[in-house]
Amino acid sequence: MLSFSRARSTGRNSRPLAGGMDYLEPKKKSNVMGKIILGVSLTVLFIIYLNHRSSSSSSTAFSRSEEGVTHVLVTGGAGYIGSHAALRLLKDSYRVTIVDNLSRGNLGAVKVLQGLFPEEGRLQFIYADLGDAKAVEKIFSENAFDAVMHFAAVAYVGESTLDPLKYYHNITSNTLVVLEAVARHKVKKLIYSSTCATYGEPEKMPIVEVTPQVPINPYGKAKKMAEDMILDFSKNSDMAVMILRYFNVIGSDPEGRLGEAPKPELREHGRISGACFDAARGVTKGLQVKGTDYKTGDGTCVRDYIDVTDLVDAHVKALEKAKPRNVGIYNVGTGKGRSVKEFVEACKKATGVDIKVDFLPRRPGDYAEVYSDPSKILRDLKWSARFTNLQESLEVAWRWQKKHPHGYASS
């Protein structure tokens, strides 16, 4: 039971009620409600302002094709990976449109990008949900896209086992909406952000692109369904398609402009790096490692950790190399597996904090060992991971985390 001590109040705007709770007079209550309404209104107005600022004066630049300029739609571009991809594209002189409903993304990341690239015709942000077919059609009708990088997706294995319908709707259904718009408007290139989760738990390691896809959780299943739709469509299309199946993403922008800032309510489902950093900062009491009885060297899961800077470099190379009427499918990883225990030790060194670790039973939907064979992407796209030192990648990410303890709200 909870017990409350009786509150005493001598203020003119409150009266004590039974149980020790104060009652706010209408005037006081209206002031509080007014502040809440004002805060919500300002947020909505700011989103409208960003849309207007990005598109009003330079709408013709985004709505027409321009020789020598490639216009890329980045779905989910306010998210962790999507924002880093948008940054790289902008640095490489691409024209970028970000579409995001901000359910998982951060408006702060968009503001950072707009501050770095304020020139007209470089970047626009559109607040929209890809599940809204009319909104998506309007976006494609009003813009001349040369390519689409489709990142937008919910992406937590654990959450997908708890709420599978959300994943099939957000990943599979929304990808269909995007694909239909791409087909109607004859967009030339599609780069699809997929995952190693489509492979499930293969019998042999490392994973190659022809390894059978037998996903074991709704996240992987939803992504595979989306892949299948894209592959079926491509058989009778001139569109160039690249499907990138990447592994566990870590790190952040080396120059400290962007980082990973998941919603607080999603911490329990998030990446292990975020969980380590939360423990190091004292946000949580420690780190929970789920599963110590897997058939691996130390009993914990083995994963292939890919730095986000390398990952977006692979996307840009895929965009450059994509050819009409061709489909490229590539694993994007380092080719080396690291156990969760190894990861935790690297995180302790990167943060300088002796993180408390609790070992718990397995999490539903997880698999023992997954790492890539990246030889195909090296051969075809001349890409290989450069940032392969696990501790160094975590040190870069940790610097951003310390500077932004409340995510982009710290800026």
Side-chain angles (χ1 to χ4, degrees):
M1 276 183 77
L2 294 176
S3 62
F4 298 89
S5 60
R6 185 174 180 84
R8 297 177 60 190
S9 174
T10 58
R12 292 184 300 170
N13 294 323
S14 63
R15 299 199 302 268
L17 296 177
M21 299 178 65
D22 281 351
Y23 168 74
L24 294 179
E25 294 286 359
K27 182 178 179 181
K28 185 75 172 180
K29 187 175 181 180
S30 64
N31 286 342
V32 174
M33 289 302 298
K35 290 179 180 179
I36 294 173
I37 293 170
L38 177 61
V40 173
S41 300
L42 287 174
T43 301
V44 173
L45 287 172
F46 189 70
I47 290 172
I48 295 171
Y49 163 71
L50 285 178
N51 279 305
H52 178 74
R53 178 187 173 195
S54 298
S55 60
S56 60
S57 61
S58 57
S59 59
T60 55
F62 293 97
S63 61
R64 58 179 168 79
S65 296
E66 186 175 337
E67 188 175 352
V69 178
T70 302
H71 184 185
V72 183
L73 166 61
V74 180
T75 71
Y80 169 44
I81 300 171
S83 62
H84 281 78
L87 173 61
R88 170 61 189 274
L89 289 167
L90 289 162
K91 286 174 64 177
D92 288 0
S93 299
Y94 286 88
R95 178 173 290 152
V96 174
T97 292
I98 291 174
V99 172
D100 203 300
N101 68 0
L102 302 179
S103 62
R104 299 289 167 99
N106 289 279
L107 194 59
V110 177
K111 290 168 64 180
V112 168
L113 294 171
Q114 290 187 321
L116 292 170
F117 302 94
E119 303 87 1
E120 292 186 0
R122 294 301 316 282
L123 168 67
Q124 69 171 338
F125 167 69
I126 300 174
Y127 175 74
D129 192 315
L130 297 180
D132 185 343
K134 290 183 179 179
V136 172
E137 175 58 26
K138 185 174 186 291
I139 291 167
F140 276 79
S141 297
E142 294 178 354
N143 293 276
F145 298 126
D146 298 297
V148 173
M149 282 191 181
H150 184 29
F151 292 98
V154 286
Y156 296 132
V157 168
E159 185 190 38
S160 78
T161 64
L162 298 173
D163 194 355
L165 296 184
K166 173 191 285 187
Y167 275 68
Y168 292 120
H169 177 82
N170 181 274
I171 295 173
T172 312
S173 178
N174 287 6
T175 297
L176 177 59
V177 173
V178 172
L179 191 58
E180 288 173 335
V182 164
R184 281 193 300 271
H185 294 273
K186 302 187 187 320
V187 179
K188 298 174 183 176
K189 297 181 180 182
L190 173 64
I191 315 300
Y192 183 59
S193 165
S194 193
T195 171
C196 64
T198 63
Y199 293 113
E201 196 164 13
E203 294 180 2
K204 295 181 180 180
M205 288 291 144
I207 295 172
V208 294
E209 286 77 3
V210 294
T211 295
Q213 290 176 286
V214 189
I216 64 172
N217 53 60
Y219 171 56
K221 292 175 183 178
K223 281 286 189 178
K224 184 181 183 301
M225 289 180 187
E227 280 193 21
D228 289 342
M229 289 191 302
I230 293 169
L231 292 173
D232 286 342
F233 167 72
S234 68
K235 293 174 183 176
N236 299 301
S237 169
D238 292 336
M239 186 174 63
V241 174
M242 291 288 198
I243 295 174
L244 302 184
R245 297 172 184 156
Y246 44 86
F247 289 66
N248 293 65
V249 188
I250 59 171
S252 62
D253 170 44
E255 295 183 42
R257 294 162 294 189
L258 298 171
E260 183 179 11
K263 307 291 185 183
E265 64 271 18
L266 296 171
R267 278 197 172 102
E268 65 177 294
H269 300 299
R271 293 179 175 85
I272 185 175
S273 54
C276 280
F277 295 147
D278 282 346
R281 291 191 291 117
V283 175
T284 57
K285 294 181 180 180
L287 176 66
Q288 296 181 341
V289 173
K290 298 180 180 180
T292 58
D293 59 346
Y294 291 98
K295 293 180 180 179
T296 60
D298 61 21
T300 61
C301 295
V302 170
R303 298 289 182 266
D304 189 339
Y305 296 99
I306 177 76
D307 192 287
V308 68
T309 301
D310 282 329
L311 179 60
V312 299
D313 182 53
H315 279 78
V316 172
K317 280 189 167 56
L319 179 62
E320 294 170 347
K321 299 285 188 179
K323 297 178 181 179
R325 297 177 297 282
N326 275 277
V327 177
I329 299 176
Y330 298 100
N331 291 333
V332 186
T334 65
K336 183 176 182 180
R338 308 286 185 87
S339 76
V340 170
K341 283 185 178 178
E342 286 181 272
F343 188 98
V344 172
E345 290 306 310
C347 192
K348 287 180 179 180
K349 293 176 182 177
T351 62
V353 178
D354 187 16
I355 299 166
K356 178 179 178 292
V357 182
D358 293 321
F359 295 99
L360 303 175
R362 296 185 184 190
R363 181 178 64 174
D366 267 340
Y367 23 79
E369 188 176 35
V370 173
Y371 61 94
S372 71
D373 177 353
S375 57
K376 182 183 177 185
I377 193 170
L378 172 62
R379 182 178 67 250
D380 292 357
L381 305 187
K382 303 297 184 287
W383 177 92
S384 63
R386 294 178 298 143
F387 301 95
T388 57
N389 186 304
L390 188 58
Q391 183 179 328
E392 289 179 2
S393 290
L394 291 172
E395 286 172 354
V396 171
W398 176 238
R399 285 198 294 270
W400 191 89
Q401 293 288 328
K402 286 197 298 182
K403 190 175 180 181
H404 303 82
H406 304 293
Y408 288 98
S410 304
S411 301

